[in-house]
Amino acid sequence: MRKYSIIIPVYNRPDELQELLECLALQTYKNFEVIIVEDGSRIKCDEVVRNFQDKLDIRYYYKENGGQGFARNYGFERASGDYFILLDSDALIEPDYLQIVENKLNTSYVDLYGGPDTDHPSFTPVQKAISYSMTSVFTTGGIRGKKNNMGGTFHPRSFNMGLSRKVWERTNGFLTSRMGEDILFSIGAIRMGFQSELIPEAFIYHKRRTRFIPFFKQLKFFGRARINIARFYPDELKLVHTFPLLFTLGVCSIPLWLLIFKPFFYLGVCALGLYILLLFMDSLKQTRSTKVAFLSVAAAFVQLFGYGTGFLQEGWKRIWEKKTHRETGASIEYPS
């Protein structure tokens, strides 16, 4: 039986960690350890971890804040498993998650995998709408979390990622702490010859943000991260990654066409209306909730505008900085 080391970085989220640990305590596959890395939190989760000492093989470490990438590296160094699994603290998993991964690796082994995310029935309407916008093919969800996606090769994301000990030993862990650290890690591992694969059945329920303002800030950070990835791997910046920026500029330009050339104004309004209708109907079909469908339209615009403005901000900065500059993100505050 393969031993797994589940590594969870935590920053000021003891309540969320409590729920994730409850999920881990119910796993049908038992050969695993849990490593909690408290990344300089002001609100610690040590008491939460202590309550699970008799239910899980669990260890708790506290370190000065340096970002989630380096916190995961800290966990790698202290893990004893054959295979590492990275989960965000705001995740929930089904009792058979580890068994699904084990079955997959026994039948078709890969050294690097990722799993999708979705919403849980207990989530609020806003959380479900945000989950829709982050997984829909009509937003940036078409660029991530799919075996065959518009962004090219599948790159596992650290909210739900697995890697063998061999991958860690070859890569030395995460190169950066924030600003696209998980995609940079996946690209590096793949270029070393490791195969990556999506395991669709190994999904998590991802809570994400509960309000649109923090969601906007997070997606703005993601837009900036895409430019940072291009600092390390310029060929990984695809035309499709500019879609949120082009969408943002296009929507903002619609009122101007009323003054410049009215036919373009009417064309823009019609195109925007059709897009809104598409989002609403697709979300309604998936969620079967009119309220969530309306909120999904708002979430999609928040997502695309946030990503687009972050992409523009960091892209403009990239034009003027030294081409040798590489951003590790260690000194940048992540929008919590």
Side-chain angles (χ1 to χ4, degrees), residues 300-335:
F301 275 74
V302 170
Q303 180 205 31
L304 293 169
F305 273 59
Y307 194 106
T309 54
F311 189 93
L312 178 62
Q313 175 188 333
E314 200 69 18
W316 182 255
K317 179 181 176 182
R318 179 61 179 160
I319 292 173
W320 301 106
E321 70 188 10
K322 292 182 178 179
K323 297 307 177 184
T324 56
H325 176 69
R326 302 290 182 269
E327 179 59 69
T328 67
S331 60
I332 296 177
E333 182 70 20
Y334 184 80

Side-chain angles (χ1 to χ4, degrees), residues 232-294:
F232 294 83
Y233 301 105
D235 59 311
E236 290 291 337
L237 187 62
K238 312 293 185 183
L239 181 61
V240 69
H241 295 133
T242 66
F243 169 68
L245 173 60
L246 297 176
F247 177 84
T248 302
L249 296 175
V251 172
C252 292
S253 70
I254 290 176
L256 297 177
W257 287 112
L258 183 60
L259 303 174
I260 301 171
F261 189 58
K262 286 186 179 181
F264 278 10
F265 169 77
Y266 295 125
L267 182 63
V269 169
C270 289
L272 188 59
L274 287 173
Y275 181 65
I276 291 172
L277 181 62
L278 179 65
L279 289 171
F280 178 83
M281 296 304 297
D282 185 58
S283 176
L284 182 62
K285 180 181 177 182
Q286 292 190 35
T287 66
R288 299 182 180 181
S289 167
T290 303
K291 183 176 183 178
V292 173
F294 275 116

Side-chain angles (χ1 to χ4, degrees), residues 181-214:
E181 78 286 347
D182 49 357
I183 300 177
L184 285 168
F185 175 83
S186 294
I187 293 171
I190 291 168
R191 294 194 179 197
M192 287 181 179
F194 293 106
Q195 297 295 313
S196 74
E197 188 170 337
L198 176 73
I199 306 179
E201 301 81 9
F203 65 88
I204 67 167
Y205 301 110
H206 205 177
K207 295 177 186 176
R208 302 190 183 280
R209 299 301 186 262
T210 58
R211 294 179 295 115
F212 284 144
I213 292 177

Side-chain angles (χ1 to χ4, degrees), residues 91-122:
L92 299 173
I93 60 175
E94 292 286 355
D96 59 350
Y97 175 93
L98 279 176
Q99 189 63 59
I100 288 170
V101 173
E102 176 70 3
N103 292 343
K104 167 63 181 177
L105 297 183
N106 285 338
T107 57
S108 181
Y109 183 84
V110 288
D111 280 298
L112 184 65
Y113 83 83
D117 58 334
T118 186
D119 60 287
H120 190 271
S122 66

